[in-house]
Every structure is written in C-alpha cells, then in structure tokens.
Amino acid sequence: MMTTDPADEGGIASLVAARRSLRASLDKSQALSAALARAGPRLDEIQQRLPTLEAAVRPICAHRDALAAVGGHIDRAVGPAAAVLKVFDAVHGLELPLLSDPQADLPGYLSVLKRLEEALRFLSDNCSLAIQWLDDIVDYLDDHSVADPRFLSALKTSLAALKTSSSPLDGGLLDAALDKLEAEFRRLLADHSTPLPMPSSSSSPADDGGGVAIAPSPLPVPVIHKLLAILERMTASNRLDRCVAAYIDVRGSNVRASLRALNLDYLEITSAGFDDVQSIEPYIDRWGRHLEFAVKHLFEAEYKLCGEVFERAGPPEVWAACFAEIAAQAGMLAFLRFGKTVTEAKKDPIKLLKLLDIFNSLNKLRLDFNRLFGGKACVEIQNLTRDLIRRVIDGACDIFWELLVQVELQRQTPPPSDGAVPRLVSFITDYCNKLLGEDYHPVLTQVLIIHRSWKQEKFQERLLTDAILNIIKALEANFETWSKGYEDTTLSYLFMMNTHWHFYKHLKGTKLGELLGDAWLREHEQYKEYSAAMFLKESWGKLPSLLSREGLILFSGGRATARDLVKKRLKAFNETFDEMYQRQSNWVISDKDLREKTCHLVVQAIVPVYRSYMQNYGPLVEQDASASKYAKYTAPTLEKMLTSLFQHKPGKSASFRVRHSNGKVNSVMASQFCSASVVM
C-alpha cells in the first residue's frame, strides 16, 4: 500500500481553496455586472432629476449661519398659512351637510351654514395676510440667495396666481347652500299659501259690521318663524332681494287665485266695449262689493303678513315695496282702471248714480287706502286713486248741474200721443227722490262740497235742494207747454189729469214731497180734479144730452113720428159714442186707481141715462126691421166697453230722447233705472 506525503496533501487543499475563491469572485463579478446593467436606466433617470433635486436640496446646502438666520422667518410665514389650510379642511368637512335638503333639519342646516360663513370670513380676513407673509419670505430668500432661483420663481408664480384668483374660497359651496335655502323659502310659502274661500259673485261679500270676518294671518306661526330664520341668513349674504322676489311671486299668485273665484273678468272691459253705463250697471254694483272685500280681507291680510315676514329683514320700504307689488299684480290696479272706464262713458243720469256709488265705495275705504297704500312704494296706486276720485267728482257734478238743462230742453218736444204720463216725469220724480234719499243725499252732498272746495267756493245745503226744486219747477213748466201741444182739448185735459195725479200720488210722503211741501202737492191734486172734471164735461159728459126726451113725452103726432125722433137721437148718440170710443181707445190713464175712478165716472154719466132711455123708448125701435142699427148697444155692453178704456198698451208710446245742452242726443233711462229710453 502506497503512502501519501503530508506535504503534498496540504498543497492540494490550498489549490482547491484557491479555486473556490476564484469561482466565488467570478460569480460576484458576474452578479455585479448584471446589477450594473440593471441600474443603468435608473441612473439615467436620476441624472435627469438631478437638477430638480439639486434645486430642492440647495437650501440645505446653504451655509449653517444662513440657514439659522432664515429659520425664524420661515416659521413666522408658515404659521398663518398652516392655520388657513386647517380652516380650508374644515370648510371641506361642511360640504356634505350643506349639500343636503334643509327641509329635514332647518335649524341644523342654518347652524352649519353659519359655521361656513364664519370660516369664510376667517379665510377672507387671513388668506391675503398668509399670502403676504409667504411673499415676504420668498423675497427674503431671493435677496439672500438662500434658495435656487428656479425654485423661487416657481414659488412667486404660485403666489401671484393666488393673489389674482377670482375663484371663491369655498369652491362655490356657499352659493349652492344659499340656493337650497332660497328654494326652501319658496317651498314653505308655496306649501302653506292657500287661496281664501271666496263668496260667489252673486252674493254680497263684504259689508261693515257683518259678512265675513277679517282673515287672520294666512301663514301658520311656525312657518313664519322658519321664514324669518331663513331671511336672517339670506340677508347676511345679500340675498334679501331674491327672497322678496320669491315672496311676491308666490303670494301674488295666491291672491290672484283667491280673486278668480269672484269672476272679475268684467274688470277688463274697456270704454269701447259698451255703449253706456246702463249696459254695465250690474258690474258697477259688483265692483264696489268686490273692491271692499279685496281691500278689507285679501290686501289687509297680505299687508300684515308682509310686515310680519320682512319687517326685521331690512328697512320699512322693503316690505312696503313687497306689498305694493303684490297688490298691483293681484288686481288693485285693475279695480281702479275699471272705475276710470266708467267715468269715460257717455253722460246720462244713471251715470250720476253710478259715479256716486263709486265715490261712496272709495270713500268708505279711504282710511284703509291711506294705511295700506299710503307709502312711497304704492305711488302708482295713489296716483290712479286720486285721478279716479277727481274724474268721479267732476263727472258727477257735471251731470247733476246739467239735469235742469236737460229737463228744459224737453219742453219743445211733442207730448205723448196717448196722453199718458211722460216717462220723463216719472223718471225725474223717482230720480230726484233717489238723490234726496239716505243712500245718495249724503254722498252727493259730500261730492258737491269737495267740488266747490276745489274752486275755493263754500257749499251751502240750499244749493242741493234749490237745484232739485228748480228741476221740478222746470218739469212743471213742461206740463203746461206739453198740454198746449194737443190739438184735441179733451186729450189735453186727460194728459194734465194724468200728470198732476202722478205728481201728487207718487210724491206724497217722499223726500221730494217733503221738500215741495203739502201746499204744493195739494195744488197738483186740485189741478187733477179740475182736469178730470173738464175732461168729463168736454167728452163723455156731452153724450147724455143727445138722448133728450124733449118732444117725446108730450108728442101728439103719433107713434111713427115718435119712432123717427128716437131713431134720430139714438143714431146721433151711437155715432158720437163710436167716434169718441174709437178715439179714446188709444188714450191711456197711467194710474190704475185713477183709471178705474175715471171709467166709473164715465159709466155713471152715460149708462144710467142710456138704460133709462132705452127702457122708455127702446120698444119704439126694437120691433123695427132695422132695430140693430139704432138699438146698437145694451146698457151692460156700454158699461163693459167704457170700463175697458184707457188701458196701457205696450209699444204704443213714442220714444222720448234727451238732448244735452251740447246738442248731443242721449237716451235717458226709464223709471226704476232699468233699460229703455225715456218715453212720453
């Protein structure tokens, strides 16, 4: 067995170890080479970023003394900026609750909104200060060459952009929140604004001391409190005008909806849409009731509500202007323009009464108008009201003082062909009684007082009564002139009997009758009695003499001669009766009692005489072949015919028109102020 030298064994081991070491070194070299290969691109990237990194770390590379001096300046500048950034973070945290619906929790929403406003005030007060501090430190760094110029240039550009930026500090969050709050304000109004239940147009919606009570506040108190809370925040953000506009829109629409139930379409009628006041008379009566109701209920309630909602939101003119706009849009101006339209209608007596009605309606509401519409905001309503009152007063006085002229102008017109009472007579007497009555006398007096005060003249009560007395005197003078216009004297007596009796009967116990006096009225009664007696005497009173018995009682010439004389007298009676009956069948006695009394007197004057005559002498002709020619009537037939006389026949009367002093012809309304032109 061969043995190994220990020295050789040691050498081999060394070689093996060396080989391992070389291989390990080779592996490390290969690994390092691979690592260097992989690091190449990263080194390129680092090389590209080196200028920026150099600029970023350059301040650190400044001398220790320079860095120590600038540290305090940096701390003072960064402090305010950090505070501002902290508030910005707080604002961002308010975004979620402020973009939610405020209806769910209005107090909470308002509280969060208030915090936002406070934060924005802090930012507004401090942002510019923080930017100025940062601007100053950048200038310091630039002056002392502590930082890289490129770094400082970028800072200056950023600060300049902050200084000139117009973007809101909250990114528009406050505007969005206020928009939601405005929408909630409108929703609260809309959800709780309900049109008032209104009476029908045919009923009387308002009267003093009665009718519907004044409406309470049309919004619940809790809703008003919410509106006030919203207004407080909106006013603080200069958005009060937006709330006022929303309020006018909602509440104005609500008032218009309330008024629609009254059917106020007639307010849109223009002066070209009707011929005279009579054609729109019912609308004028409704106008007064509707105006009173609108003022005392709707506008009164809106006036109070405007005060409750806006009185603490700004100066008084804010809510006054708000109410004025609602009143104008809702129809107040339309009411006044309709009144003006009435004043533009053609003149006639009915218009005087309607003008007095309009004045009375406005006068009753005078205190309400002064209180509700007396401010500067309601200047348009004030101007239209003053203009309407002046037109009403001027128009009423013009018509009143022209009444006398109108009556006098009728004197030259022909009298009624049927002898009836002229419609002008009944119209004027009824009309003057109305003017003296409780409804119109105080109103007309006040109108005349105001009109004379404008002329710096004093008013005396006798002016009104004397004017009416002069009208009646002129009417009486017309009687005489008209009576002379008949060719038939008998018809003239019938006319005078009719007219004087109408005066006596229809004026006795009236205001006009009291003004004229009992002696005056008795004169008309006496004229009636005289005219009735003369009418009977000159007409039917002549017939009995035609049935004379003279020559029949003592006649001795025989039966044939007596028969001839009776025939002759009956023929003359029949001819006269037929002619008179035919003529007077077209005549009229207007008053039923007077007609019946007159017919009774005619019957008493003729029928007994005729009955007696026929009983005594009728047999002389009744056996004659031509008996029906002479014994034409029986006593009952005559009585029936005579009692049917003087009946009014519709459509037979002639039209009677009033001619104004200006030469224009105008139809005057019939008695009771109804529809037709005055007729004789």
Side-chain angles (χ1 to χ4, degrees):
M1 176 175 195
M2 177 185 273
T3 60
T4 303
D5 188 352
D8 292 336
E9 293 179 355
I12 294 170
S14 296
L15 288 173
V16 171
R19 185 175 63 83
R20 291 191 184 114
S21 177
L22 287 173
R23 182 169 292 280
S25 296
L26 181 61
D27 291 340
K28 288 181 180 180
S29 296
Q30 290 176 345
L32 180 61
S33 177
L36 288 174
R38 291 194 301 269
R42 294 184 61 192
L43 289 174
D44 292 338
E45 182 181 351
I46 290 172
Q47 186 175 8
Q48 292 175 0
R49 293 174 59 190
L50 278 177
T52 304
L53 293 173
E54 181 184 3
V57 301
R58 177 69 182 272
I60 302 175
C61 299
H63 296 293
R64 182 181 296 275
D65 295 341
L67 291 176
V70 81
H73 293 286
I74 293 175
D75 290 341
R76 286 192 297 273
V78 171
V84 168
L85 290 175
K86 185 176 181 180
V87 174
F88 264 117
D89 288 339
V91 168
H92 180 71
L94 300 177
E95 184 173 351
L96 184 61
L98 287 178
L99 293 180
S100 63
D101 190 350
Q103 179 180 353
D105 180 16
L106 182 61
Y109 191 91
L110 292 172
S111 176
V112 174
L113 180 59
K114 187 175 182 181
R115 288 167 54 194
L116 173 63
E117 292 171 340
E118 292 172 350
L120 292 178
R121 281 195 296 271
F122 176 85
L123 292 176
S124 177
D125 294 339
N126 292 278
C127 272
S128 58
L129 180 61
I131 293 172
Q132 185 62 47
W133 276 95
L134 293 174
D135 203 23
D136 290 343
I137 191 60
V138 170
D139 289 340
Y140 179 87
L141 295 175
D142 191 16
D143 293 341
H144 292 80
S145 301
V146 176
D148 182 75
R150 287 174 293 179
F151 173 75
L152 294 178
S153 176
L155 283 178
K156 289 180 179 180
T157 300
S158 298
L159 290 174
L162 287 175
K163 290 179 183 178
T164 59
S165 175
S166 59
S167 301
L169 296 175
D170 62 344
L173 180 59
L174 178 60
D175 284 340
L178 292 174
D179 288 343
K180 285 184 171 292
L181 209 54
E182 180 185 335
E184 176 64 8
F185 184 86
R186 179 182 287 272
R187 186 198 67 78
L188 285 170
L189 284 172
D191 287 355
H192 297 89
S193 294
T194 304
L196 288 179
M198 307 296 267
S200 64
S201 59
S202 60
S203 62
S204 177
D207 48 53
D208 292 334
V212 184
I214 297 298
S217 175
L219 290 180
V221 174
V223 173
I224 293 179
H225 290 166
K226 290 182 179 180
L227 294 175
L228 292 174
I230 293 175
L231 280 174
E232 182 181 0
R233 297 264 50 86
M234 298 293 279
T235 302
S237 300
N238 296 320
R239 284 219 183 183
L240 177 60
D241 57 335
R242 302 271 292 270
C243 290
V244 170
Y247 186 93
I248 291 172
D249 183 31
V250 175
R251 295 302 302 177
S253 298
N254 188 68
V255 176
R256 289 194 296 274
S258 297
L259 288 174
R260 274 197 293 270
L262 295 178
N263 189 18
L264 300 179
D265 292 344
Y266 65 88
L267 294 180
E268 303 302 322
I269 295 176
T270 63
S271 56
F274 62 95
D275 295 329
D276 49 45
V277 168
Q278 189 177 14
S279 61
I280 60 168
E281 184 178 351
Y283 294 138
I284 300 174
D285 296 335
R286 289 165 57 186
W287 176 87
R289 299 194 303 270
H290 291 163
L291 176 63
E292 182 175 359
F293 187 79
V295 170
K296 286 186 173 293
H297 297 269
L298 288 177
F299 295 130
E300 175 71 28
E302 289 303 321
Y303 180 84
K304 291 180 179 178
L305 184 61
C306 279
E308 292 175 357
V309 173
F310 290 105
E311 190 171 16
R312 288 182 291 177
E317 53 265 24
V318 171
W319 70 267
C322 179
F323 168 74
E325 187 67 23
I326 290 174
Q329 289 185 9
M332 191 63 226
L333 298 179
F335 274 110
L336 297 174
R337 292 189 183 107
F338 177 81
K340 179 183 177 183
T341 297
V342 176
T343 66
E344 294 171 345
K346 293 183 293 186
K347 288 183 180 180
D348 61 49
I350 294 300
K351 181 180 176 181
L352 169 58
L353 299 181
K354 297 298 103 182
L355 291 178
L356 294 179
D357 287 338
I358 291 175
F359 178 84
N360 190 41
S361 296
L362 293 172
N363 192 50
K364 287 193 297 184
L365 297 172
R366 179 168 52 87
L367 296 179
D368 299 286
F369 264 68
N370 291 339
R371 179 169 49 82
L372 299 179
F373 311 116
K376 294 180 180 179
C378 295
V379 63
E380 184 176 10
I381 293 177
Q382 295 167 21
N383 291 338
L384 285 176
T385 303
R386 281 193 291 267
D387 179 65
L388 175 58
I389 291 175
R390 178 169 290 277
R391 285 171 171 270
V392 166
I393 292 177
D394 285 341
C397 290
D398 286 347
I399 296 173
F400 177 73
W401 294 119
E402 195 175 335
L403 284 175
L404 174 61
V405 179
Q406 288 187 357
V407 172
E408 291 175 341
L409 286 172
Q410 307 317 306
R411 202 164 294 162
Q412 304 306 316
T413 60
S417 60
D418 55 8
V421 177
R423 294 284 292 276
L424 179 67
V425 174
S426 59
F427 174 82
I428 290 297
T429 53
D430 289 344
Y431 190 80
C432 289
N433 262 321
K434 278 186 173 288
L435 294 181
L436 291 172
E438 295 180 356
D439 291 337
Y440 289 107
H441 183 265
V443 182
L444 179 57
T445 299
Q446 189 172 2
V447 165
L448 294 174
I449 290 173
I450 295 173
H451 192 255
R452 291 186 72 84
S453 70
W454 291 346
K455 298 180 178 181
Q456 306 298 319
E457 299 174 353
K458 291 184 178 180
F459 173 82
Q460 297 177 346
E461 179 65 25
R462 291 297 304 176
L463 286 173
L464 175 56
T465 55
D466 286 349
I468 292 180
L469 285 174
N470 289 335
I471 291 172
I472 298 303
K473 290 178 181 178
L475 192 59
E476 288 180 319
N478 288 2
F479 297 170
E480 297 299 326
T481 302
W482 287 333
S483 67
K484 295 175 182 178
Y486 291 105
E487 295 181 0
D488 190 328
T489 305
T490 305
L491 181 56
S492 174
Y493 286 130
L494 180 77
F495 168 78
M496 294 295 279
M497 176 182 69
N498 264 325
T499 307
H500 285 293
W501 177 247
H502 178 88
F503 246 61
Y504 175 78
K505 182 175 181 179
H506 291 275
L507 295 185
K508 188 175 179 61
T510 66
K511 293 289 185 180
L512 181 56
E514 293 174 4
L515 178 63
L516 295 172
D518 290 338
W520 193 322
L521 294 179
R522 281 196 299 272
E523 287 185 9
H524 285 285
E525 184 182 27
Q526 293 169 1
Y527 277 128
K528 185 272 294 185
E529 295 292 344
Y530 172 78
S531 299
M534 292 303 296
F535 166 75
L536 191 62
K537 177 182 177 182
E538 295 297 324
S539 58
W540 301 103
K542 294 180 178 181
L543 263 68
S545 63
L546 298 177
L547 299 177
S548 173
R549 302 181 183 222
E550 184 178 353
L552 294 177
I553 298 176
L554 299 177
F555 189 78
S556 58
R559 188 177 181 86
T561 303
R563 182 184 299 111
D564 292 340
L565 189 56
V566 169
K567 286 182 178 181
K568 180 179 179 182
R569 291 176 179 175
L570 283 175
K571 181 180 179 183
F573 175 87
N574 290 336
E575 289 176 350
T576 305
F577 177 87
D578 289 343
E579 184 275 331
M580 195 175 298
Y581 180 83
Q582 184 65 32
R583 180 158 42 95
Q584 295 194 17
S585 292
N586 295 319
W587 296 358
V588 171
I589 297 179
S590 306
D591 182 77
K592 179 182 178 182
D593 293 337
L594 180 60
R595 180 171 62 250
E596 291 177 353
K597 182 179 179 181
T598 302
C599 288
H600 177 72
L601 291 175
V602 172
V603 169
Q604 290 301 109
I606 298 175
V607 174
V609 174
Y610 184 80
R611 181 183 293 111
S612 176
Y613 192 84
M614 293 302 293
Q615 287 174 350
N616 291 318
Y617 306 109
L620 292 175
V621 297
E622 288 173 352
Q623 302 301 323
D624 193 282
S626 59
S628 59
K629 181 179 178 181
Y630 303 102
K632 186 175 181 179
Y633 301 107
T634 64
T637 301
L638 285 181
E639 183 174 356
K640 183 177 180 181
M641 293 174 67
L642 292 173
T643 54
S644 67
L645 284 172
F646 313 125
Q647 299 286 337
H648 178 69
K649 299 173 179 59
K652 292 288 187 179
S653 299
S655 177
F656 184 76
R657 298 169 70 82
V658 167
R659 182 175 297 275
H660 287 283
S661 56
N662 61 9
K664 295 181 179 179
V665 175
N666 229 7
S667 295
V668 180
M669 311 323 157
S671 61
Q672 306 306 320
F673 315 103
C674 300
S675 57
S677 300
V678 168
V679 295
M680 292 286 285

